[in-house]
Amino acid sequence: VYVDPQKRHAGTLVAPQDASWLATPVAFPALFSARLSDGGAVWLRWEHAEKIAVHYRSDPRSSASSSQFAIYRRPQVRDQRERISFFVLRCFHAFADGYSYQPLVGDLFDLYAAGVDERGREARLPPVPEVFDVLERRLFD
């Protein structure tokens, strides 16, 4: 799942063999692509262990509305403008499918934001539906 915490848009990443793969931009050999919740699209490729190159388009059909930037695992001295932390969340399909990742990642970002908030703000997570209480009782009782 690709999530931009500032713009609050997200999308499920797919590989080239997936039927929903988006054609890559010219001169940007991507490993993953995603249609975003704001209608845009993003393509990602690993540069090396600490860096991911990102190509973003607000309209996937038009190259006029595109930009490229890099995200780093650790801040780099040479690039003070773009410092974005990232992590890889990997789950078995039995735990989460493509639709389940987005709410899970959204909750993780809310928890992270609350953890770094200097004012001590509590995370505002949605209530857990009753169906999960029933499942938990069946699994752990």
Side-chain angles (χ1 to χ4, degrees):
V1 174
Y2 174 86
V3 178
D4 184 326
Q6 279 106 16
K7 295 180 183 174
R8 302 295 287 184
H9 57 238
T12 302
L13 292 169
V14 296
Q17 64 270 22
D18 193 278
S20 61
W21 172 255
L22 300 165
T24 58
V26 175
F28 192 85
L31 295 176
F32 300 101
S33 72
R35 292 184 189 278
L36 301 175
S37 54
D38 69 348
V42 68
W43 293 266
L44 305 174
R45 88 170 167 240
W46 293 97
E47 294 287 316
H48 55 76
E50 303 295 330
K51 178 182 174 185
I52 296 177
V54 180
H55 188 101
Y56 169 79
R57 284 188 184 166
S58 57
D59 180 358
R61 296 173 303 275
S62 169
S63 61
S65 60
S66 67
S67 63
Q68 289 187 30
F69 56 93
I71 54 177
Y72 296 95
R73 188 171 198 79
R74 286 185 241 153
Q76 303 293 315
V77 174
R78 67 182 176 277
D79 191 359
Q80 295 297 320
R81 293 172 291 128
E82 288 290 334
R83 291 197 284 169
I84 303 169
S85 298
F86 66 89
F87 68 93
V88 176
L89 175 65
R90 188 170 156 181
C91 297
F92 289 106
H93 185 70
F95 177 73
D97 60 8
Y99 296 105
S100 303
Y101 271 111
Q102 289 183 1
L104 178 62
V105 171
D107 288 350
L108 286 172
F109 274 109
D110 289 343
L111 289 168
Y112 176 79
V116 298
D117 190 343
E118 295 173 1
R119 297 172 300 203
R121 179 180 63 90
E122 293 288 323
R124 297 182 187 175
L125 301 177
V128 177
E130 185 179 316
V131 73
F132 288 109
D133 293 336
V134 172
L135 179 62
E136 184 179 9
R137 282 194 301 273
R138 287 181 182 170
L139 291 174
F140 298 110
D141 286 347

